[in-house]
């Protein structure tokens, strides 16, 4: 009795050319990304290419954009992994129309078009707005630490940097003398000595790290001197000495214990809940329906100075996206609290600020002990006391609770769902572009899952 099984013949050739349309279901993410890129204006990506027909043929820029967006949506950001997926993954092969650019081409395209890729964020936000996804009544602001493409062990003290720079310059001088003796003072030889390029690159990074510490020491010393002068002027005007400890004079020379990273000098040592990382502090403003509406990257570990730039970035982004609605309430945790922030943004035109003054568990403890405040606001309360009272009211608790369903889940989705735990590229500018691209693909995924694409994607497919 013969088995009734489907044939498995790996040598069977296609009887007819296969159609890409038959490879994936009509509701697959790959088709959605292709259609989404068709809705975008990608004209600026073509500006870097010749339009006279000369030179070697390049890959279609819109296809390269779709490949990168699809990769970031899938949590695949490495150019080598994307190149491998273009050979092995059906979704990638559909997006690339069976073309297979190598990892160098992908890496170069991403680096050369980082500003254009960053501006895709506004275009995708506009698509989300047309789909009716962006609800701006209440927005949440939060930050998170993301590791840089550098290790903590690559940090060097100022003293160590000086010693290593002197050592490398001495080695370079010795190599120059040997080459002059070998080739002559006016000749360089047929090619550079092996390893000289890497040697010079490392020297450049060391010098950049040392220069960064010099600049920071000079800026700190200047700020301290200005503060001392202002303090002295106020004492002369009032005729009384100010209370508190007088600030110490800071030298413009970096302290010996000051450190900088030799792999990525722009990155900083940042404390997380678990440990310390060498990285950057990413910022996000998120709408009620978990759409990211503004992004930023900072080298400062503390969030307190990020409220003003992020609200300004939000305003610019909404204008660029053609959105007339503005947030009525902005929520932020205790990391953004300062009286200066409240004073700067307590005006009718801006959103109402609800900023925690203490950690959430302390707020819950205060609510249990003091209960919900009622009646008129007592006179003589400081800004901090007024904010604490507002957060303990029923309305304040109801609004602030929205942080737990807006910005916090989004950062979790990006870091866990899309694997954004470490930057792939080095430098602050590259980090800003990469975080913007991550936010763009997060919004794309929200639009795809909603089934409300403005070009009728859900209905047509």
């Amino acid at each position: 009795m013969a088995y009734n099984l489907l044939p498995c013949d790996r040598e069977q050739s296609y009887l007819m050319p296969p159609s890409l349309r038959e490879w994936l279901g009509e509701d697959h993410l790959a088709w959605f990304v292709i259609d989404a890129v068709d809705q975008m204006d990608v004209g600026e990506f073509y500006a870097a290419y010749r339009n006279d027909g000369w030179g070697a043929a390049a890959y279609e820029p819109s296809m390269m954009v779709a490949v990168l967006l699809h990769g970031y949506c899938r949590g695949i950001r490495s150019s080598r992994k994307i190149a491998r997926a273009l050979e092995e993954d059906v979704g990638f092969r559909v997006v690339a129309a069976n073309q297979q650019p190598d990892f160098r081409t992908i890496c170069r395209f991403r680096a050369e078009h980082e500003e254009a890729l960053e501006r895709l964020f506004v275009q995708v936000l506009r698509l989300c707005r047309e789909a009716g996804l962006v609800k701006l009544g209440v927005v949440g602001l939060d930050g998170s630490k993301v590791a840089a493409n550098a290790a903590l062990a690559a940090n060097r003290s100022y003293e160590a940097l000086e010693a290593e720079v002197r050592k490398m310059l001495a080695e370079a001088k010795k190599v120059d003398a040997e080459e002059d003796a070998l080739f002559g003072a006016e000749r360089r030889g047929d090619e550079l000595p092996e390893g000289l390029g890497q040697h010079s690159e490392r020297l450049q990074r060391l010098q950049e790290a040392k220069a960064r510490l010099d600049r920071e020491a000079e800026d700190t010393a200047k700020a301290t001197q200005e503060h001392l002068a202002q303090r002295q002027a106020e004492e002369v005007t009032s005729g009384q000495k100010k209370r508190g400890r007088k600030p110490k004079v800071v030298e413009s020379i970096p302290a010996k214990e000051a450190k900088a990273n030799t792999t990525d000098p722009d990155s900083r040592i940042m404390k997380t809940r678990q440990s310390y990382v060498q990285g950057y502090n990413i910022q996000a403003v998120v709408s009620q329906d978990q759409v990211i509406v503004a992004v930023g990257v900072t080298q400062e570990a503390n969030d307190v100075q990020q409220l003003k730039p992020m609200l300004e970035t939000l305003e610019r982004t909404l204008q660029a996206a053609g959105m007339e609605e503005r947030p009525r309430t902005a929520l932020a945790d205790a990391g953004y609290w300062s009286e200066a922030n409240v004073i700067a943004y307590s005006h009718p035109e801006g959103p109402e600020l609800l900023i925690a003054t203490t950690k959430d568990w302390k707020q819950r403890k205060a609510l249990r002990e003091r209960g919900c405040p009622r009646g008129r606001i007592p006179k003589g309360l400081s800004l901090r006391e007024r904010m604490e009272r507002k957060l303990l009211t029923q309305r304040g608790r109801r609004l602030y609770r929205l942080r737990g369903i807006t910005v916090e889940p989004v950062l979790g989705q990006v870091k866990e769902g899309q694997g954004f735990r470490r930057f792939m590229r080095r430098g602050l500018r590259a980090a800003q572009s990469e975080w913007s691209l991550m936010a763009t693909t997060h919004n794309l995924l929200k639009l795809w899952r909603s089934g409300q694409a403005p070009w009728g994607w859900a209905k047509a497919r």
Side-chain angles (χ1 to χ4, degrees):
M1 183 174 179
Y3 291 106
N4 185 19
L5 303 176
L6 293 172
C8 178
D9 184 3
R10 295 183 177 86
E11 303 299 325
Q12 174 67 49
S13 301
Y14 287 109
L15 299 179
M16 297 183 64
S19 170
L20 294 181
R21 290 282 173 185
E22 299 174 357
W23 286 10
L24 295 173
E26 293 184 347
D27 59 348
H28 196 276
L29 175 64
W31 294 120
F32 178 83
V33 170
I34 292 170
D35 289 350
V37 173
D38 288 342
Q39 307 302 313
M40 301 177 193
D41 180 7
V42 293
E44 63 178 315
F45 289 92
Y46 290 79
Y49 299 88
R50 297 180 61 161
N51 59 1
D52 56 6
W54 288 80
Y59 288 103
E60 176 68 33
S62 62
M63 181 272 288
M64 296 293 292
V65 170
V67 166
L68 283 174
L69 291 178
H70 185 253
Y72 276 63
C73 283
R74 296 272 302 274
I76 303 174
R77 296 176 291 127
S78 164
S79 57
R80 284 177 170 82
K81 290 183 178 180
I82 291 176
R84 188 180 303 119
L86 288 170
E87 298 178 8
E88 302 173 353
D89 188 284
V90 174
F92 275 92
R93 296 191 70 161
V94 167
V95 172
N98 259 337
Q99 299 180 76
Q100 295 175 358
D102 62 20
F103 74 91
R104 294 181 185 85
T105 302
I106 297 168
C107 184
R108 187 166 54 247
F109 182 88
R110 181 167 49 188
E112 292 176 351
H113 300 281
E114 66 178 14
E115 292 185 5
L117 288 169
E118 191 173 348
R119 283 190 282 270
L120 292 178
F121 176 79
V122 172
Q123 296 202 49
V124 173
L125 184 60
R126 192 178 295 125
L127 294 176
C128 292
R129 178 206 65 186
E130 293 174 6
L133 291 185
V134 188
K135 299 176 183 178
L136 287 173
V138 178
V139 296
L141 168 62
D142 203 359
S144 184
K145 312 301 190 298
V146 175
N149 193 349
L152 274 170
N155 282 290
R156 299 287 185 274
S157 67
Y158 186 79
E159 192 174 18
L161 285 171
E162 277 193 319
E164 197 161 354
V165 167
R166 286 196 300 268
K167 179 182 176 182
M168 295 189 75
L169 289 175
E171 290 175 354
K173 186 176 181 180
K174 180 181 178 182
V175 170
D176 287 341
E178 291 174 352
E179 289 177 350
D180 287 346
L182 181 61
F183 301 114
E186 302 299 328
R187 297 179 60 191
R188 72 172 184 88
D190 293 333
E191 58 185 10
L192 287 172
E194 185 178 355
L196 183 59
Q198 295 178 356
H199 182 279
S200 62
E201 290 172 5
R202 175 164 176 76
L203 176 60
Q204 181 181 356
R205 290 200 302 270
L206 289 169
Q207 290 173 329
E208 287 176 359
K210 181 175 176 293
R212 189 207 107 193
L213 293 179
D214 287 329
R215 287 196 305 272
E216 289 182 353
E218 290 177 2
D219 293 343
T220 303
K222 183 179 179 181
T224 303
Q225 290 172 357
E226 291 176 353
H227 180 57
L228 284 170
Q230 181 181 1
R231 179 188 176 97
Q232 186 176 4
E234 291 175 356
E235 288 178 345
V236 171
T237 303
S238 63
Q240 296 179 348
K241 287 191 174 182
K242 280 187 165 290
R243 299 176 63 184
R245 184 178 298 175
K246 185 178 180 180
K248 294 181 180 179
V249 177
V250 179
E251 297 290 337
S252 59
I253 301 174
K256 290 184 178 181
E257 63 272 13
K259 291 184 177 181
N261 194 276
T262 57
T263 304
D264 184 357
D266 286 349
S267 63
R268 299 292 187 271
I269 299 174
M270 302 206 173
K271 186 179 181 180
T272 66
R273 291 182 180 179
Q274 293 79 21
S275 60
Y276 288 88
V277 298
Q278 187 72 33
Y280 296 94
N281 184 359
I282 63 171
Q283 299 285 311
V285 181
V286 180
S287 68
Q288 289 177 253
D289 39 11
Q290 296 186 352
V291 174
I292 301 176
V293 291
V295 292
V297 177
T298 178
Q299 298 164 307
E300 296 182 18
N302 198 307
D303 291 329
V304 69
Q305 300 297 330
Q306 304 310 310
L307 182 70
K308 180 177 184 292
M310 286 308 300
L311 290 180
E312 292 174 349
T313 300
L314 173 63
E315 177 62 26
R316 291 194 300 269
T317 303
L318 295 180
Q319 286 183 358
M323 302 175 69
E324 297 181 357
E325 184 184 3
R326 293 296 182 270
R328 296 186 298 274
T329 306
L331 311 174
D333 64 16
Y336 296 88
W337 166 258
S338 75
E339 293 192 355
N341 282 340
V342 176
I343 294 172
Y345 285 95
S346 295
H347 54 82
E349 297 180 1
E352 177 189 11
L353 296 180
L354 284 178
I355 306 176
T357 60
T358 59
K359 295 183 180 297
D360 290 348
W361 69 268
K362 292 184 178 180
Q363 284 184 326
R364 293 191 292 270
K365 180 181 177 182
L367 182 62
R368 290 193 301 268
E369 294 176 351
R370 295 158 50 186
C372 183
R374 297 184 180 183
R376 292 184 178 181
I377 300 175
K379 295 182 180 180
L381 294 182
S382 66
L383 286 176
R384 185 186 189 94
E385 291 170 334
R386 290 175 70 91
M387 182 62 72
E388 289 174 348
R389 188 181 190 280
K390 182 191 292 188
L391 289 169
L392 290 176
T393 63
Q394 290 185 358
R395 175 179 176 273
R397 288 160 51 202
R398 175 176 53 82
L399 287 172
Y400 189 77
R401 197 179 294 124
L402 294 177
R403 279 193 72 255
I405 59 174
T406 54
V407 63
E408 289 185 349
V410 166
L411 292 176
Q413 292 162 16
V414 171
K415 298 182 80 170
E416 293 295 333
Q418 294 180 259
F420 187 53
R421 289 287 182 181
R422 180 180 293 273
F423 285 99
M424 300 296 298
R425 302 173 61 213
R426 294 170 182 165
L428 178 60
R429 187 66 191 86
Q432 291 169 340
S433 177
E434 190 169 354
W435 171 224
S436 177
L437 194 53
M438 287 302 305
T440 299
T441 51
H442 167 84
N443 290 346
L444 263 182
L445 288 170
K446 288 291 180 184
L447 185 59
W448 173 55
R449 289 168 181 145
S450 73
Q452 301 176 30
W455 59 91
W457 183 82
K459 296 178 181 178
R461 297 189 181 283

